């Protein structure tokens, strides 16, 4: 009976902030995040491969599925971290990664998530935290396809040049500005 009550607090949302290796590495380290899975969302091809998605012709974006315990972390906090660790103002590009598969997006599973995402975007725009308008799309989640060969990529490939040049600075930013959200080994 306890598991039933515990599970009702676990929520899922999908976030696309460029390369899923980056977003996976960030959210794997956050208290209250139960599971992070990289994959593809919002496309027209069923079960696309990494190679398919890289062509930019499937309509998918690289994203992560995040399951989180809303008793331990609020969606607002997850989205604050999300908007702080990628550039939500560049259309179809994050750093040297470009194409529609690298667009910024929030794919909600509940109407409440849509409302929260839109409120945060409105707040960020009003506060003019970014020089350019936010282009992050907010859409109902469509089928998500797991990128199995990419699971836990950063943790297994920390010494790869892409990881040290692109992911390490994002993790350093996370440690600097969101240290209270970082899980310890036991969490």
């Amino acid at each position: 009976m306890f598991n039933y009550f515990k599970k009702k607090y676990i929520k899922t949302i999908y976030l696309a902030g460029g390369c899923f290796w980056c977003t996976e590495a960030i959210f794997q380290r956050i208290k209250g995040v139960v599971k992070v899975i990289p994959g593809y969302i919002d496309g027209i091809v069923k079960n696309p491969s990494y190679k398919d998605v890289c062509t930019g012709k499937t309509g998918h974006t690289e994203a992560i599925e995040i399951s989180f315990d809303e008793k331990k972390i609020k969606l607002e906090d997850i989205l604050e971290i999300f908007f702080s660790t990628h550039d939500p103002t560049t259309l179809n590009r994050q750093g040297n990664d470009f194409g529609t598969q690298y667009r910024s997006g929030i794919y909600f599973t509940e109407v409440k998530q849509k409302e929260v995402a839109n409120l945060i975007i409105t707040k960020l725009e009003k506060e003019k935290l970014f020089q350019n308008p936010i282009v992050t799309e907010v859409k109902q989640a469509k089928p998500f396809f797991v990128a199995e060969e990419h699971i836990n990529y950063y943790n297994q490939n920390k010494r790869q040049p892409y990881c040290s040049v692109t992911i390490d600075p994002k993790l350093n930013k996370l440690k600097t500005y969101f240290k209270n959200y970082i899980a310890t080994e036991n969490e």
Side-chain angles (χ1 to χ4, degrees):
M1 189 162 196
F2 176 74
N3 285 338
Y4 169 77
F5 290 109
K6 187 175 180 182
K7 286 182 181 180
K8 78 177 185 176
Y9 299 114
I10 304 300
K11 301 295 180 180
T12 299
I13 193 164
Y14 300 88
L15 301 177
C19 174
F20 50 35
W21 297 340
C22 298
T23 49
E24 177 193 43
I26 289 164
F27 286 98
Q28 284 177 328
R29 287 154 174 74
I30 303 300
K31 290 179 195 174
V33 171
V34 178
K35 181 172 61 172
V36 181
I37 301 172
Y40 317 105
I41 197 164
D42 199 38
I44 56 172
V45 175
K46 190 173 180 178
N47 294 315
S49 68
Y50 183 70
K51 187 176 177 180
D52 294 336
V53 173
C54 285
T55 68
K57 295 178 182 177
T58 69
H60 292 90
T61 186
E62 289 191 13
I64 54 170
E65 175 185 270
I66 300 177
S67 298
F68 64 99
D69 184 338
E70 67 179 351
K71 290 285 193 181
K72 295 182 179 179
I73 188 164
K74 295 183 290 184
L75 177 60
E76 292 86 344
D77 297 327
I78 287 173
L79 294 179
E80 181 181 357
I81 293 166
F82 171 70
F83 281 111
S84 299
T85 53
H86 85 290
D87 183 352
T89 69
T90 55
L91 186 63
N92 302 329
R93 181 183 195 116
Q94 289 297 309
N96 290 326
D97 296 324
F98 60 92
T100 57
Q101 67 271 28
Y102 298 112
R103 66 187 179 272
S104 177
I106 299 169
Y107 305 93
F108 58 88
T109 59
E110 300 175 2
V111 173
K112 179 184 173 191
Q113 292 175 345
K114 175 185 177 183
E115 293 166 355
V116 169
N118 285 328
L119 282 171
I120 289 174
I121 290 170
T122 300
K123 178 184 171 207
L124 291 172
E125 295 254 312
K126 191 180 277 187
E127 292 175 354
K128 299 197 182 296
L129 275 134
F130 300 100
Q131 290 182 341
N132 297 311
I134 293 172
V135 296
T136 302
E137 59 187 17
V138 178
K139 298 168 80 174
Q140 173 75 44
K142 291 182 177 179
F144 177 80
F145 301 97
V146 176
E148 293 173 345
E149 68 273 12
H150 296 276
I151 292 174
N152 206 27
Y153 186 86
Y154 175 79
N155 292 331
Q156 296 174 355
N157 298 281
K158 290 179 183 180
R159 298 195 196 288
Q160 293 292 333
Y162 183 90
C163 293
S164 60
V165 170
T166 306
I167 302 173
D168 284 347
K170 291 177 184 231
L171 292 177
N172 289 335
K173 186 175 188 177
L174 181 72
K175 291 173 191 171
T176 301
Y177 296 105
F178 298 98
K179 62 183 166 198
N180 293 335
Y181 293 96
I182 297 175
T184 62
E185 291 293 321
N186 299 329
E187 293 179 292

